[in-house]
Structure formats: C-alpha cells, structure tokens
Amino acid sequence: GQQVMQIPQYQHVQEGEDFTTYCNSSTTLSNIQWYKQRPGGHPVFLIQLVKSGEVKKQKRLTFQFGEAKKNSSLHITATQTTDVGTYFCAGPHGSGNTGKLIFGQGTTLQVKP
Amino acid sequence: DAGITQSPRHKVTETGTPVTLRCHQTENHRYMYWYRQDPGHGLRLIHYSYGVKDTDKGEVSDGYSVSRSKTEDFLLTLESATSSQTSVYFCATHGPLSGNTIYFGEGSWLTVV
C-alpha cells in the first residue's frame, strides 16, 4: 500500500547548526504538507507544496518538493531552541479532496542550547 | 486553529473495559478523522467520516468503532480496551475552505492497564 517514509527519526543538534529532514513517498503526490508538533502538543500545519520542484521559505525554514513529486525536504538554518519538536510530512491518501492524509513517521528534533 | 475539543484529555482505564473518546468541532467541517500516535509510527488513521452517519475505516481500525450523529461530534469507541491501545488519540477536521489542510485537536492520552 501507499507509504510515506521520513528520515531521520531523531536528530540532536547544537543551537545554531542546520537541520534537514527528508520525506519519500511510494507514490506520486498531488501535494505534500508539513506539520510541526511541539512536545506534548498537537500537530500544526506549516505549509503545503503543490508544484513539481517547488521551493518555499518561511523565515529560517526552507521546504522543497521534488521534481517527481515523490519526495520532499525541510531544512532549518541556524536552529534555535524554539525549533524543538517533531516534524511530519504528509501526503493525500488516494485521490480526491477528502483531507485523508498519510503521514511519515516524523523526525524529532532536539536542540542543545 | 479550528475549534476542536477532545474529551477526556487524559484517561486511565482497565483492560477489557469500553472507552469512548469525544471530538467536538465548531467549524462545521464536513470531514472528521481519528488518528492515533505512537513512537516510531507517526500518525495513523483509525476511522474517518465524510458526514453525518457516513463513516469508514482507516488503516488501524480493528478494535475501534465510531459514530457521527451530528456534524459537530465524532465519537471513537474502544469496545474492549487492550494494552496495545495505550496511545495518544488525535481528532482532526477538514472543511471546504481549508484546502488540503487538516486541523488537529489537542489530543487524548489514553492508558490501558
């Protein structure tokens, strides 16, 4: 069945270092979304990418959608302690705009001050 | 964030007892979902609903049932709780104006002893 894989599962960085998480889908996706979950919190939508090769930036966060629309990445430049949390990628499950998403396993980021 | 309320937020129950988790939304969103979150597995879809009395199974539906008698309420029932159902449960919603984004409730922490 359809799968979305995310690596690494955990990442510990020193504050100020960069961080990247990678997401790979077994199928071509119409779009990919990224969510952030703070410790003890709930996932919160960050961004959606739709176009092949799309790159979007949010301050220190850079999101990319692969040319084949099967992979994506999130890069954080100069991490801060406020970046701590788990980052999930998610793609539509099947077809149609039902909101059903299949999530990657998430990458948990720890930042040492 | 969408107005999504989950109850109870925390519960400890004994093996073999039935448990019902409630999700209430004030956004009049058509689609509602129940996910469970476990370490190493990310978020997995249990059941979802397209509307009142219109529900379907997700990828991990065994041992769970749902009901949606009103647009705003989506109930998840563990018919006979087992220790493997110890998890964090998230309700989520999706509406016509939210694009492909889904909005999560704050989660319900369930421990089965």
Side-chain angles (χ1 to χ4, degrees), chain A residues 9-10 30-31 33 35 37 40-45 48 50 86 88 92 96-106, chain B residues 1 9 31 33 35 37 39-43 45 48 50 57 59 90 94 96 99-107 109:
Chain A
Q9 189 172 355
Y10 297 100
S30 59
N31 68 82
Q33 300 173 37
Y35 291 77
Q37 182 179 25
H42 60 280
V44 175
F45 174 78
Q48 175 180 270
V50 178
T86 300
F88 293 98
N97 185 25
T98 63
K100 274 178 62 181
L101 296 177
I102 182 166
F103 284 82
Q105 303 95 317
Chain B
D1 283 342
R9 295 290 316 281
Y31 301 105
Y33 316 87
Y35 285 88
Q37 183 176 24
H41 291 279
L43 294 148
L45 184 64
Y48 57 99
Y50 293 130
K57 295 179 179 180
E59 60 180 309
F90 287 99
H94 167 71
N100 294 306
T101 306
I102 66 172
Y103 299 96
F104 286 87
E106 295 186 341
W109 275 254

Side-chain angles (χ1 to χ4, degrees), chain B residues 7-86:
Chain B
S7 60
R9 295 290 316 281
H10 299 270
K11 186 174 181 64
V12 180
T13 193
E14 293 185 349
T15 299
T17 61
V19 176
T20 295
L21 305 180
R22 179 180 184 243
C23 179
H24 178 79
Q25 57 122 342
T26 59
E27 301 296 318
N28 201 35
H29 283 172
R30 175 182 174 188
Y31 301 105
M32 297 186 75
Y33 316 87
W34 278 107
Y35 285 88
R36 62 176 288 175
Q37 183 176 24
D38 305 286
H41 291 279
L43 294 148
R44 293 181 292 173
L45 184 64
I46 305 171
H47 280 280
Y48 57 99
S49 171
Y50 293 130
V52 173
K53 296 185 180 179
D54 191 359
T55 64
D56 207 346
K57 295 179 179 180
E59 60 180 309
V60 290
S61 60
D62 286 349
Y64 301 95
S65 62
V66 290
S67 66
R68 192 162 178 205
S69 59
K70 297 185 288 186
T71 299
E72 58 266 34
D73 291 326
F74 193 30
L75 304 181
L76 176 70
T77 297
L78 289 65
E79 292 143 11
S80 178
T82 66
S83 58
S84 65
Q85 293 176 312
T86 292

